[in-house]
Amino acid sequence: KIRLARWVDMPGKGWYSGDTHVHYERSKPEYDEMLLTWSQAEDVHVTNILSYGDFRKTYMPQRAYGKASRYQKGDYLLVSGDEDPRESIAEQGHVLTLNITAPARDTTTYHLYDRAFDRVHAQGGLVGYAHVAWANWFHRKKNPNALLYPTWDVSVNAIKGKADFFEILQFRSLGLEDFYDFLNLGVKIAATAGSDVPWGATIGEVRTYAYTGKNFSAGAWFAALKQGSTFVSNGPMLTLSVNSAIPGDELRAEKNGKLRISAEAWAPESIGAPKTLEIVSE
């Protein structure tokens, strides 16, 4: 027999893992059992199973969304969402809508992303941009004139406060350029990571950790994401606090006041322990 030993207990610290970007059909109950078993094997507590669409149609539609779509055993659960609207990444990009009661799709206003964002928020869902991890460098490499064209329409919707998160980690790529730019402008954007299965290798290949404290639930996990109480990882664990405030908290510093920063990154040598810890301040 093979015995697996847990090298870290993040739920014990109040942090619960999630994958915000998995595509799979959920038309039959047995698919739920398979997907939840897969998530449990990867130790991913919240797996967002997404349909996705384009101007023509919706692919991998889910049989339900929101609370009606939740399938849970213990502190592991599935919940359906959607990747739509979804224009070319070199145009307005792909949008993830999470914890929704129904897709925000409307082909009569398909190019007006802000309308879709408003529909998502009206039903209590979250919305953000997918593939921020790699889209910019990928299209600059393919198209030498890419800098002449907008890669995302985030310049409008992030500034207007309509985008809740950026997917900054995916496929071994970490995209911080846009993320840092908007944070420096005072825009509150949560960090997420999604595997994009079946194009990614497996559920939880990269993952979003959200802080719920001791009271884990689907609602608490999505509320933490909305608050920005997240970090992303493909292996190492991270903690950061500033004067006891954690990511997502609002800290008002006094002029010439002192800030006590505590940060830690760790992992077992078997997966590659971090050698450098970088703290970025602007």
Side-chain angles (χ1 to χ4, degrees), residues 26 32 35-36 39 47 49 69-71 76-80:
R26 291 184 67 196
D32 286 349
L35 287 165
L36 192 65
S39 298
T47 304
I49 311 296
S69 75
R70 294 175 187 172
Y71 182 70
Y76 295 88
L77 67 96
L78 310 176
V79 59
S80 290

Side-chain angles (χ1 to χ4, degrees), residues 15 57 66 104 114 153 196 204 219 224 227 234 237:
W15 292 91
K57 62 181 292 187
D114 61 326
D153 75 335
D196 204 6
Q227 178 70 16
N234 62 356
M237 292 297 102

Side-chain angles (χ1 to χ4, degrees), residues 9 22 42 44 68 83 85 174 201 236:
D9 179 16
V22 174
E42 297 288 2
V44 176
E83 184 177 359
L174 180 65

Side-chain angles (χ1 to χ4, degrees), residues 195-230:
S195 62
D196 204 6
V197 164
W199 293 273
T202 187
I203 291 173
E205 176 183 48
V206 296
R207 54 190 71 187
T208 305
Y209 283 83
Y211 184 79
T212 70
K214 297 179 180 180
N215 301 315
F216 171 77
S217 66
W221 196 89
F222 285 112
L225 197 160
K226 176 74 172 180
Q227 178 70 16
S229 298
T230 66

Side-chain angles (χ1 to χ4, degrees), residues 64-68 80 98-103 119-120 122-125:
Y65 293 88
K67 291 182 179 179
S80 290
L98 308 179
N99 200 33
I100 54 175
T101 58
R119 289 192 291 272
V120 171
Q123 55 183 273

